[in-house]
Amino acid sequence: MTRLIFLDIDGTYLANGSVPTSASDAVRAARARGHKVLLCTGRSLAQLYPDIMEAGFDGVVASGGGMVRYGDDVLVSHVFGRDGLARAVDWLEARGIAYWLETDTGLVASANLAERLSGLPDQPYLRAPFTAMDGVERDDVRKLLFLGSETPLA
């Protein structure tokens, strides 16, 4: 019987920022037995670095369910609408709240993000290079993340 195996990345498939040999060997062994192994993560496709993908996977649930691929087929693809994204970014920027946008091809940073991240420990999921925000006329944003603020959110 074929089974579907879903693995989270951070704290499950990755240990201390890298893939243990035992984890990649287990993925290969499961696939060799005919099981289907998929990654299931809040990360964007851009954050699925080669060292993570090296063992080979049958599919991925990325961006907290905003993108689902099985083999070469895209089963689910959700992105922000332009108007909703513009309203959210305007709201965050008016309050000076640092944020980043996640797309399938990269991470897009607010002007104040680098300063805000400078005091935090390194995060392995933020290895993808950030590009500077160049307007919100985008139709490829799957997630918007923001960092804590002294500004009340309500």
Side-chain angles (χ1 to χ4, degrees), residues 84-115:
L85 179 62
R87 283 194 314 272
V89 166
D90 287 349
W91 190 91
L92 291 167
E93 288 187 352
R95 290 158 178 80
I97 299 173
Y99 64 90
W100 72 89
L101 310 176
E102 290 185 357
T103 74
D104 293 345
T105 58
L107 307 177
V108 181
S110 64
N112 59 347
L113 182 64
E115 177 185 343

PDB file of all heavy atoms in Angstrom, residues 84-115:
ATOM      1  N   GLY A  84      -6.000  44.254  -2.160  1.00  0.00           N
ATOM      2  CA  GLY A  84      -5.811  43.828  -0.776  1.00  0.00           C
ATOM      3  C   GLY A  84      -4.368  43.974  -0.331  1.00  0.00           C
ATOM      4  O   GLY A  84      -4.086  44.420   0.787  1.00  0.00           O
ATOM      5  N   LEU A  85      -3.443  43.631  -1.214  1.00  0.00           N
ATOM      6  CA  LEU A  85      -2.025  43.785  -0.896  1.00  0.00           C
ATOM      7  C   LEU A  85      -1.680  45.252  -0.700  1.00  0.00           C
ATOM      8  O   LEU A  85      -0.998  45.612   0.265  1.00  0.00           O
ATOM      9  CB  LEU A  85      -1.164  43.182  -2.000  1.00  0.00           C
ATOM     10  CG  LEU A  85       0.348  43.293  -1.804  1.00  0.00           C
ATOM     11  CD1 LEU A  85       0.792  42.550  -0.553  1.00  0.00           C
ATOM     12  CD2 LEU A  85       1.084  42.779  -3.035  1.00  0.00           C
ATOM     13  N   ALA A  86      -2.156  46.112  -1.572  1.00  0.00           N
ATOM     14  CA  ALA A  86      -1.870  47.547  -1.456  1.00  0.00           C
ATOM     15  C   ALA A  86      -2.407  48.101  -0.140  1.00  0.00           C
ATOM     16  O   ALA A  86      -1.717  48.870   0.548  1.00  0.00           O
ATOM     17  CB  ALA A  86      -2.460  48.307  -2.637  1.00  0.00           C
ATOM     18  N   ARG A  87      -3.620  47.707   0.249  1.00  0.00           N
ATOM     19  CA  ARG A  87      -4.186  48.188   1.518  1.00  0.00           C
ATOM     20  C   ARG A  87      -3.361  47.704   2.707  1.00  0.00           C
ATOM     21  O   ARG A  87      -3.089  48.471   3.635  1.00  0.00           O
ATOM     22  CB  ARG A  87      -5.643  47.732   1.662  1.00  0.00           C
ATOM     23  CG  ARG A  87      -6.604  48.546   0.834  1.00  0.00           C
ATOM     24  CD  ARG A  87      -8.072  48.324   1.220  1.00  0.00           C
ATOM     25  NE  ARG A  87      -8.454  46.933   1.381  1.00  0.00           N
ATOM     26  CZ  ARG A  87      -8.886  46.144   0.392  1.00  0.00           C
ATOM     27  NH1 ARG A  87      -8.985  46.613  -0.826  1.00  0.00           N
ATOM     28  NH2 ARG A  87      -9.234  44.895   0.642  1.00  0.00           N
ATOM     29  N   ALA A  88      -2.955  46.435   2.692  1.00  0.00           N
ATOM     30  CA  ALA A  88      -2.170  45.890   3.803  1.00  0.00           C
ATOM     31  C   ALA A  88      -0.815  46.578   3.914  1.00  0.00           C
ATOM     32  O   ALA A  88      -0.382  46.978   5.006  1.00  0.00           O
ATOM     33  CB  ALA A  88      -1.997  44.382   3.632  1.00  0.00           C
ATOM     34  N   VAL A  89      -0.130  46.740   2.784  1.00  0.00           N
ATOM     35  CA  VAL A  89       1.191  47.393   2.789  1.00  0.00           C
ATOM     36  C   VAL A  89       1.054  48.851   3.219  1.00  0.00           C
ATOM     37  O   VAL A  89       1.851  49.336   4.040  1.00  0.00           O
ATOM     38  CB  VAL A  89       1.860  47.257   1.403  1.00  0.00           C
ATOM     39  CG1 VAL A  89       3.046  48.199   1.268  1.00  0.00           C
ATOM     40  CG2 VAL A  89       2.300  45.810   1.181  1.00  0.00           C
ATOM     41  N   ASP A  90       0.067  49.560   2.722  1.00  0.00           N
ATOM     42  CA  ASP A  90      -0.139  50.960   3.130  1.00  0.00           C
ATOM     43  C   ASP A  90      -0.356  51.053   4.637  1.00  0.00           C
ATOM     44  O   ASP A  90       0.197  51.936   5.302  1.00  0.00           O
ATOM     45  CB  ASP A  90      -1.340  51.571   2.399  1.00  0.00           C
ATOM     46  CG  ASP A  90      -1.070  51.866   0.935  1.00  0.00           C
ATOM     47  OD1 ASP A  90       0.107  51.806   0.514  1.00  0.00           O
ATOM     48  OD2 ASP A  90      -2.052  52.135   0.206  1.00  0.00           O
ATOM     49  N   TRP A  91      -1.157  50.141   5.175  1.00  0.00           N
ATOM     50  CA  TRP A  91      -1.452  50.138   6.611  1.00  0.00           C
ATOM     51  C   TRP A  91      -0.176  49.909   7.416  1.00  0.00           C
ATOM     52  O   TRP A  91       0.096  50.627   8.385  1.00  0.00           O
ATOM     53  CB  TRP A  91      -2.497  49.062   6.916  1.00  0.00           C
ATOM     54  CG  TRP A  91      -3.051  49.130   8.293  1.00  0.00           C
ATOM     55  CD1 TRP A  91      -4.146  49.815   8.713  1.00  0.00           C
ATOM     56  CD2 TRP A  91      -2.530  48.462   9.461  1.00  0.00           C
ATOM     57  NE1 TRP A  91      -4.340  49.630  10.064  1.00  0.00           N
ATOM     58  CE2 TRP A  91      -3.358  48.803  10.540  1.00  0.00           C
ATOM     59  CE3 TRP A  91      -1.444  47.614   9.689  1.00  0.00           C
ATOM     60  CZ2 TRP A  91      -3.146  48.327  11.832  1.00  0.00           C
ATOM     61  CZ3 TRP A  91      -1.232  47.139  10.971  1.00  0.00           C
ATOM     62  CH2 TRP A  91      -2.070  47.504  12.021  1.00  0.00           C
ATOM     63  N   LEU A  92       0.626  48.922   7.032  1.00  0.00           N
ATOM     64  CA  LEU A  92       1.870  48.633   7.747  1.00  0.00           C
ATOM     65  C   LEU A  92       2.849  49.801   7.636  1.00  0.00           C
ATOM     66  O   LEU A  92       3.460  50.202   8.632  1.00  0.00           O
ATOM     67  CB  LEU A  92       2.502  47.351   7.205  1.00  0.00           C
ATOM     68  CG  LEU A  92       1.739  46.067   7.513  1.00  0.00           C
ATOM     69  CD1 LEU A  92       2.273  44.915   6.670  1.00  0.00           C
ATOM     70  CD2 LEU A  92       1.812  45.725   8.997  1.00  0.00           C
ATOM     71  N   GLU A  93       3.020  50.335   6.452  1.00  0.00           N
ATOM     72  CA  GLU A  93       3.977  51.427   6.263  1.00  0.00           C
ATOM     73  C   GLU A  93       3.552  52.687   7.004  1.00  0.00           C
ATOM     74  O   GLU A  93       4.400  53.394   7.550  1.00  0.00           O
ATOM     75  CB  GLU A  93       4.189  51.689   4.779  1.00  0.00           C
ATOM     76  CG  GLU A  93       4.990  50.559   4.141  1.00  0.00           C
ATOM     77  CD  GLU A  93       5.393  50.807   2.715  1.00  0.00           C
ATOM     78  OE1 GLU A  93       4.943  51.805   2.101  1.00  0.00           O
ATOM     79  OE2 GLU A  93       6.169  49.986   2.199  1.00  0.00           O
ATOM     80  N   ALA A  94       2.264  52.967   7.081  1.00  0.00           N
ATOM     81  CA  ALA A  94       1.784  54.149   7.810  1.00  0.00           C
ATOM     82  C   ALA A  94       2.115  54.053   9.291  1.00  0.00           C
ATOM     83  O   ALA A  94       2.244  55.065   9.980  1.00  0.00           O
ATOM     84  CB  ALA A  94       0.277  54.305   7.618  1.00  0.00           C
ATOM     85  N   ARG A  95       2.306  52.851   9.780  1.00  0.00           N
ATOM     86  CA  ARG A  95       2.602  52.625  11.199  1.00  0.00           C
ATOM     87  C   ARG A  95       4.072  52.286  11.450  1.00  0.00           C
ATOM     88  O   ARG A  95       4.454  52.000  12.568  1.00  0.00           O
ATOM     89  CB  ARG A  95       1.702  51.515  11.729  1.00  0.00           C
ATOM     90  CG  ARG A  95       0.253  51.982  11.827  1.00  0.00           C
ATOM     91  CD  ARG A  95      -0.740  50.826  11.816  1.00  0.00           C
ATOM     92  NE  ARG A  95      -2.096  51.337  11.948  1.00  0.00           N
ATOM     93  CZ  ARG A  95      -2.799  51.848  10.932  1.00  0.00           C
ATOM     94  NH1 ARG A  95      -2.271  51.932   9.717  1.00  0.00           N
ATOM     95  NH2 ARG A  95      -4.029  52.279  11.137  1.00  0.00           N
ATOM     96  N   GLY A  96       4.883  52.290  10.394  1.00  0.00           N
ATOM     97  CA  GLY A  96       6.312  52.005  10.540  1.00  0.00           C
ATOM     98  C   GLY A  96       6.613  50.563  10.885  1.00  0.00           C
ATOM     99  O   GLY A  96       7.670  50.265  11.450  1.00  0.00           O
ATOM    100  N   ILE A  97       5.726  49.648  10.556  1.00  0.00           N
ATOM    101  CA  ILE A  97       5.907  48.228  10.895  1.00  0.00           C
ATOM    102  C   ILE A  97       6.701  47.541   9.778  1.00  0.00           C
ATOM    103  O   ILE A  97       6.336  47.619   8.603  1.00  0.00           O
ATOM    104  CB  ILE A  97       4.549  47.537  11.102  1.00  0.00           C
ATOM    105  CG1 ILE A  97       3.812  48.203  12.271  1.00  0.00           C
ATOM    106  CG2 ILE A  97       4.727  46.045  11.346  1.00  0.00           C
ATOM    107  CD1 ILE A  97       2.386  47.724  12.468  1.00  0.00           C
ATOM    108  N   ALA A  98       7.793  46.877  10.147  1.00  0.00           N
ATOM    109  CA  ALA A  98       8.633  46.162   9.185  1.00  0.00           C
ATOM    110  C   ALA A  98       7.920  44.899   8.715  1.00  0.00           C
ATOM    111  O   ALA A  98       7.264  44.211   9.499  1.00  0.00           O
ATOM    112  CB  ALA A  98       9.976  45.810   9.825  1.00  0.00           C
ATOM    113  N   TYR A  99       8.076  44.578   7.419  1.00  0.00           N
ATOM    114  CA  TYR A  99       7.410  43.409   6.857  1.00  0.00           C
ATOM    115  C   TYR A  99       8.210  42.880   5.679  1.00  0.00           C
ATOM    116  O   TYR A  99       9.134  43.505   5.183  1.00  0.00           O
ATOM    117  CB  TYR A  99       5.986  43.769   6.397  1.00  0.00           C
ATOM    118  CG  TYR A  99       5.963  44.772   5.280  1.00  0.00           C
ATOM    119  CD1 TYR A  99       5.990  44.362   3.946  1.00  0.00           C
ATOM    120  CD2 TYR A  99       5.959  46.131   5.537  1.00  0.00           C
ATOM    121  CE1 TYR A  99       6.005  45.282   2.919  1.00  0.00           C
ATOM    122  CE2 TYR A  99       5.969  47.060   4.517  1.00  0.00           C
ATOM    123  CZ  TYR A  99       5.992  46.624   3.208  1.00  0.00           C
ATOM    124  OH  TYR A  99       6.016  47.534   2.199  1.00  0.00           O
ATOM    125  N   TRP A 100       7.839  41.676   5.248  1.00  0.00           N
ATOM    126  CA  TRP A 100       8.329  41.160   3.985  1.00  0.00           C
ATOM    127  C   TRP A 100       7.224  40.387   3.289  1.00  0.00           C
ATOM    128  O   TRP A 100       6.288  39.910   3.911  1.00  0.00           O
ATOM    129  CB  TRP A 100       9.606  40.337   4.112  1.00  0.00           C
ATOM    130  CG  TRP A 100       9.511  38.980   4.733  1.00  0.00           C
ATOM    131  CD1 TRP A 100       9.256  37.800   4.101  1.00  0.00           C
ATOM    132  CD2 TRP A 100       9.725  38.637   6.108  1.00  0.00           C
ATOM    133  NE1 TRP A 100       9.291  36.758   4.991  1.00  0.00           N
ATOM    134  CE2 TRP A 100       9.575  37.244   6.224  1.00  0.00           C
ATOM    135  CE3 TRP A 100      10.024  39.384   7.241  1.00  0.00           C
ATOM    136  CZ2 TRP A 100       9.714  36.583   7.433  1.00  0.00           C
ATOM    137  CZ3 TRP A 100      10.160  38.713   8.445  1.00  0.00           C
ATOM    138  CH2 TRP A 100      10.017  37.339   8.533  1.00  0.00           C
ATOM    139  N   LEU A 101       7.341  40.342   1.975  1.00  0.00           N
ATOM    140  CA  LEU A 101       6.403  39.629   1.133  1.00  0.00           C
ATOM    141  C   LEU A 101       7.093  38.370   0.625  1.00  0.00           C
ATOM    142  O   LEU A 101       8.268  38.410   0.275  1.00  0.00           O
ATOM    143  CB  LEU A 101       5.992  40.490  -0.069  1.00  0.00           C
ATOM    144  CG  LEU A 101       5.539  41.917   0.218  1.00  0.00           C
ATOM    145  CD1 LEU A 101       5.276  42.655  -1.088  1.00  0.00           C
ATOM    146  CD2 LEU A 101       4.318  41.917   1.110  1.00  0.00           C
ATOM    147  N   GLU A 102       6.360  37.274   0.588  1.00  0.00           N
ATOM    148  CA  GLU A 102       6.916  36.030   0.072  1.00  0.00           C
ATOM    149  C   GLU A 102       6.270  35.697  -1.270  1.00  0.00           C
ATOM    150  O   GLU A 102       5.047  35.692  -1.400  1.00  0.00           O
ATOM    151  CB  GLU A 102       6.686  34.877   1.046  1.00  0.00           C
ATOM    152  CG  GLU A 102       7.505  34.994   2.303  1.00  0.00           C
ATOM    153  CD  GLU A 102       7.369  33.799   3.223  1.00  0.00           C
ATOM    154  OE1 GLU A 102       6.582  32.868   2.932  1.00  0.00           O
ATOM    155  OE2 GLU A 102       8.059  33.800   4.244  1.00  0.00           O
ATOM    156  N   THR A 103       7.131  35.442  -2.258  1.00  0.00           N
ATOM    157  CA  THR A 103       6.690  34.999  -3.572  1.00  0.00           C
ATOM    158  C   THR A 103       7.369  33.663  -3.855  1.00  0.00           C
ATOM    159  O   THR A 103       8.231  33.222  -3.090  1.00  0.00           O
ATOM    160  CB  THR A 103       7.066  36.014  -4.665  1.00  0.00           C
ATOM    161  OG1 THR A 103       8.470  35.937  -4.914  1.00  0.00           O
ATOM    162  CG2 THR A 103       6.682  37.437  -4.275  1.00  0.00           C
ATOM    163  N   ASP A 104       7.016  33.038  -4.962  1.00  0.00           N
ATOM    164  CA  ASP A 104       7.657  31.771  -5.316  1.00  0.00           C
ATOM    165  C   ASP A 104       9.116  31.948  -5.692  1.00  0.00           C
ATOM    166  O   ASP A 104       9.892  30.994  -5.646  1.00  0.00           O
ATOM    167  CB  ASP A 104       6.925  31.108  -6.487  1.00  0.00           C
ATOM    168  CG  ASP A 104       5.530  30.652  -6.116  1.00  0.00           C
ATOM    169  OD1 ASP A 104       5.211  30.579  -4.913  1.00  0.00           O
ATOM    170  OD2 ASP A 104       4.747  30.360  -7.047  1.00  0.00           O
ATOM    171  N   THR A 105       9.503  33.156  -6.072  1.00  0.00           N
ATOM    172  CA  THR A 105      10.866  33.384  -6.556  1.00  0.00           C
ATOM    173  C   THR A 105      11.742  34.187  -5.614  1.00  0.00           C
ATOM    174  O   THR A 105      12.934  34.322  -5.873  1.00  0.00           O
ATOM    175  CB  THR A 105      10.835  34.089  -7.924  1.00  0.00           C
ATOM    176  OG1 THR A 105      10.126  35.323  -7.789  1.00  0.00           O
ATOM    177  CG2 THR A 105      10.158  33.219  -8.970  1.00  0.00           C
ATOM    178  N   GLY A 106      11.195  34.720  -4.525  1.00  0.00           N
ATOM    179  CA  GLY A 106      12.028  35.479  -3.613  1.00  0.00           C
ATOM    180  C   GLY A 106      11.242  36.175  -2.520  1.00  0.00           C
ATOM    181  O   GLY A 106      10.021  36.066  -2.437  1.00  0.00           O
ATOM    182  N   LEU A 107      11.986  36.898  -1.706  1.00  0.00           N
ATOM    183  CA  LEU A 107      11.437  37.654  -0.589  1.00  0.00           C
ATOM    184  C   LEU A 107      11.625  39.137  -0.877  1.00  0.00           C
ATOM    185  O   LEU A 107      12.686  39.549  -1.332  1.00  0.00           O
ATOM    186  CB  LEU A 107      12.158  37.282   0.709  1.00  0.00           C
ATOM    187  CG  LEU A 107      12.224  35.788   1.043  1.00  0.00           C
ATOM    188  CD1 LEU A 107      13.025  35.562   2.319  1.00  0.00           C
ATOM    189  CD2 LEU A 107      10.846  35.191   1.152  1.00  0.00           C
ATOM    190  N   VAL A 108      10.594  39.918  -0.606  1.00  0.00           N
ATOM    191  CA  VAL A 108      10.626  41.351  -0.886  1.00  0.00           C
ATOM    192  C   VAL A 108      10.503  42.083   0.441  1.00  0.00           C
ATOM    193  O   VAL A 108       9.563  41.849   1.205  1.00  0.00           O
ATOM    194  CB  VAL A 108       9.474  41.751  -1.836  1.00  0.00           C
ATOM    195  CG1 VAL A 108       9.523  43.238  -2.137  1.00  0.00           C
ATOM    196  CG2 VAL A 108       9.527  40.922  -3.118  1.00  0.00           C
ATOM    197  N   ALA A 109      11.454  42.978   0.722  1.00  0.00           N
ATOM    198  CA  ALA A 109      11.558  43.608   2.033  1.00  0.00           C
ATOM    199  C   ALA A 109      11.058  45.041   2.046  1.00  0.00           C
ATOM    200  O   ALA A 109      11.268  45.798   1.098  1.00  0.00           O
ATOM    201  CB  ALA A 109      13.020  43.608   2.486  1.00  0.00           C
ATOM    202  N   SER A 110      10.431  45.404   3.175  1.00  0.00           N
ATOM    203  CA  SER A 110      10.113  46.810   3.405  1.00  0.00           C
ATOM    204  C   SER A 110      11.425  47.557   3.659  1.00  0.00           C
ATOM    205  O   SER A 110      12.451  46.956   3.992  1.00  0.00           O
ATOM    206  CB  SER A 110       9.182  46.961   4.605  1.00  0.00           C
ATOM    207  OG  SER A 110       9.798  46.527   5.806  1.00  0.00           O
ATOM    208  N   ALA A 111      11.379  48.868   3.521  1.00  0.00           N
ATOM    209  CA  ALA A 111      12.591  49.680   3.673  1.00  0.00           C
ATOM    210  C   ALA A 111      13.203  49.547   5.060  1.00  0.00           C
ATOM    211  O   ALA A 111      14.419  49.648   5.220  1.00  0.00           O
ATOM    212  CB  ALA A 111      12.277  51.142   3.366  1.00  0.00           C
ATOM    213  N   ASN A 112      12.403  49.282   6.083  1.00  0.00           N
ATOM    214  CA  ASN A 112      12.912  49.228   7.449  1.00  0.00           C
ATOM    215  C   ASN A 112      13.168  47.800   7.954  1.00  0.00           C
ATOM    216  O   ASN A 112      13.485  47.609   9.115  1.00  0.00           O
ATOM    217  CB  ASN A 112      11.953  49.954   8.397  1.00  0.00           C
ATOM    218  CG  ASN A 112      10.551  49.371   8.382  1.00  0.00           C
ATOM    219  OD1 ASN A 112      10.198  48.588   7.509  1.00  0.00           O
ATOM    220  ND2 ASN A 112       9.742  49.759   9.351  1.00  0.00           N
ATOM    221  N   LEU A 113      13.066  46.806   7.084  1.00  0.00           N
ATOM    222  CA  LEU A 113      13.218  45.423   7.547  1.00  0.00           C
ATOM    223  C   LEU A 113      14.642  45.098   7.992  1.00  0.00           C
ATOM    224  O   LEU A 113      14.839  44.477   9.035  1.00  0.00           O
ATOM    225  CB  LEU A 113      12.772  44.425   6.478  1.00  0.00           C
ATOM    226  CG  LEU A 113      12.850  42.962   6.904  1.00  0.00           C
ATOM    227  CD1 LEU A 113      11.880  42.676   8.060  1.00  0.00           C
ATOM    228  CD2 LEU A 113      12.570  42.037   5.735  1.00  0.00           C
ATOM    229  N   ALA A 114      15.646  45.488   7.226  1.00  0.00           N
ATOM    230  CA  ALA A 114      17.034  45.147   7.574  1.00  0.00           C
ATOM    231  C   ALA A 114      17.382  45.654   8.966  1.00  0.00           C
ATOM    232  O   ALA A 114      17.990  44.940   9.767  1.00  0.00           O
ATOM    233  CB  ALA A 114      17.999  45.709   6.540  1.00  0.00           C
ATOM    234  N   GLU A 115      16.984  46.879   9.265  1.00  0.00           N
ATOM    235  CA  GLU A 115      17.251  47.443  10.593  1.00  0.00           C
ATOM    236  C   GLU A 115      16.551  46.622  11.673  1.00  0.00           C
ATOM    237  O   GLU A 115      17.117  46.332  12.716  1.00  0.00           O
ATOM    238  CB  GLU A 115      16.785  48.887  10.636  1.00  0.00           C
ATOM    239  CG  GLU A 115      16.957  49.539  12.003  1.00  0.00           C
ATOM    240  CD  GLU A 115      16.368  50.939  12.042  1.00  0.00           C
ATOM    241  OE1 GLU A 115      16.114  51.534  10.978  1.00  0.00           O
ATOM    242  OE2 GLU A 115      16.157  51.432  13.165  1.00  0.00           O
TER     243      GLU A 115
END
